[in-house]
Amino acid sequence: MKNLVRTNEFTLAATAVVGFATLAVATDFNLLTAGTMDAFLSFLAVPMVIGLAQMVVLAVGQMNLSVGVLTGFCAMASAWLMVDAALPAPLAVLAALALGALVGLLNGLLVVFTRINGFIVTLATMTILEGLRYGVHGTGTYQGYSPGLRAVGQASLLGIPVVFLLALAVAVATALFFRRTVSGRRLLASGGNPFAARLSGISNDRALVLAHTLSGLLAGVAAVIVVAAFGSVNASIGDDLLLPSFAAPIIGGVALVGGVVSVTGTVLAAFLVRLVDVTQAQFDINRRWVDLIIGAVVLGAVLLGRARERLTGGAR
């Protein structure tokens, strides 16, 4: 029990409970009404999945700056396929997932074959995707697509939005991947100590490609949630997702150097960031102050992580 209390996940969970209770009281318990809670959880789904998409590449010591823009690009492509190409919703959803995975695969292959850090590669990818979003689709809005898909985005199960349950399912699947599969353990081994992993017969290049591919696939999942839940899509989708994508895993305890992931921590941190967003909306706080606070917390989490690494290294 004492060890549990000392974990980063316990601290985040306690902070989330206290923060949620405080905000509920401050809003005269309006936060607890069915409509408000439905909106809260629905809008939490995308930051959760985006945080997991970033976490996967952080696990191998890489970064994916294109994750937010890729989400918007896949969402636009999916909506375009339904509206302009008259493609059935299931095929449009599969296309969004495949497109995300394909871009992620290309990111991974570029990192491996050019030996350029993923930070630079995905920065270039982000710029290219931004140009494609506006160059190909323009500034128009896609709406009126598949009523069935939009119904799923608005549906609830036992009072809980289906899109939030989907995000939880993705989180569980991601946790099982890292804990139960050989590929997941190899990915962590490669991120934690590439030299030792190579001596053990693990391909670091394969781990890099896999991590970026999974990151792209998760961005595709986030895009599907956007299309289903929002009911309309335009070229600005995804522009505000880069900071949350880093905030969730870093605050959640994921190591920037690789080898350590925390799905629970990432989900809880995404919840806290969502609380900050709701607080900003409820009390009309300047959005720039909110970004400043989140950025400061991310920086503090990074510095704290570095301090822990040094203390751990010194103890050894």
Side-chain angles (χ1 to χ4, degrees):
M1 181 63 181
K2 189 177 293 185
N3 291 334
L4 175 63
V5 172
R6 292 176 179 174
T7 62
N8 185 61
E9 288 82 359
F10 182 87
T11 302
L12 288 172
T15 304
V17 170
V18 172
F20 185 83
T22 301
L23 185 58
V25 173
T27 58
D28 294 326
F29 298 100
N30 178 60
L31 182 62
L32 301 181
T33 60
T36 305
M37 280 303 303
D38 187 89
F40 181 94
L41 294 176
S42 293
F43 281 95
L44 175 58
V46 171
M48 279 175 55
V49 177
I50 286 295
L52 294 172
Q54 195 67 254
M55 184 196 76
V56 172
V57 288
L58 288 174
V60 291
Q62 296 270 308
M63 296 182 184
N64 186 357
L65 298 185
S66 68
V67 66
V69 174
L70 178 56
T71 297
F73 183 72
C74 291
M76 287 285 288
S78 179
W80 174 83
L81 287 172
M82 287 184 285
V83 175
D84 289 353
L87 205 66
L91 291 181
V93 166
L94 290 176
L97 299 178
L99 180 59
L102 177 61
V103 173
L105 174 63
L106 291 175
N107 281 336
L109 291 174
L110 284 171
V111 169
V112 168
F113 287 114
T114 64
R115 296 302 171 186
I116 300 174
N117 189 276
F119 181 91
I120 302 299
V121 170
T122 57
L123 176 63
T125 305
M126 178 183 72
T127 306
I128 292 170
L129 291 176
E130 282 182 336
L132 286 174
R133 277 192 310 171
Y134 287 99
V136 176
H137 299 294
T139 58
T141 298
Y142 287 106
Q143 55 189 356
Y145 45 78
S146 175
L149 183 59
R150 284 182 287 135
V152 171
Q154 300 300 318
S156 297
L157 182 63
L158 300 178
I160 303 174
V162 169
V163 290
F164 176 71
L165 294 175
L166 174 60
L168 281 181
V170 170
V172 171
T174 304
L176 291 175
F177 169 76
F178 282 110
R179 292 183 182 181
R180 303 293 184 184
T181 69
V182 174
S183 296
R185 290 194 291 269
R186 286 179 175 175
L187 194 149
L188 288 176
S190 178
N193 192 328
F195 180 72
R198 186 166 58 250
L199 291 179
S200 301
I202 296 173
S203 172
N204 293 316
D205 289 346
R206 191 174 300 169
L208 287 172
V209 173
L210 176 60
H212 279 283
T213 303
L214 289 176
S215 180
L217 176 61
L218 289 171
V221 173
V224 172
I225 293 175
V226 167
V227 173
F230 290 7
S232 64
V233 180
N234 58 48
S236 67
I237 294 292
D239 288 345
D240 58 347
L241 291 176
L242 184 58
L243 178 58
S245 78
F246 280 104
I250 292 174
I251 297 172
V254 177
L256 287 175
V257 293
V260 177
V261 297
S262 175
V263 173
T264 302
T266 298
V267 170
L268 288 171
F271 180 88
L272 288 173
V273 172
R274 176 68 185 137
L275 271 183
V276 173
D277 286 337
V278 172
T279 302
Q280 180 266 333
Q282 287 286 336
F283 299 101
D284 197 25
I285 302 172
N286 191 314
R287 180 69 207 182
R288 295 178 181 177
W289 285 107
V290 174
D291 290 340
L292 186 150
I293 293 170
I294 295 176
V297 172
V298 171
L299 178 60
V302 171
L303 294 176
L304 181 60
R306 287 295 177 90
R308 286 175 177 174
E309 288 173 13
R310 291 177 180 176
L311 289 174
T312 303
R316 292 175 186 174

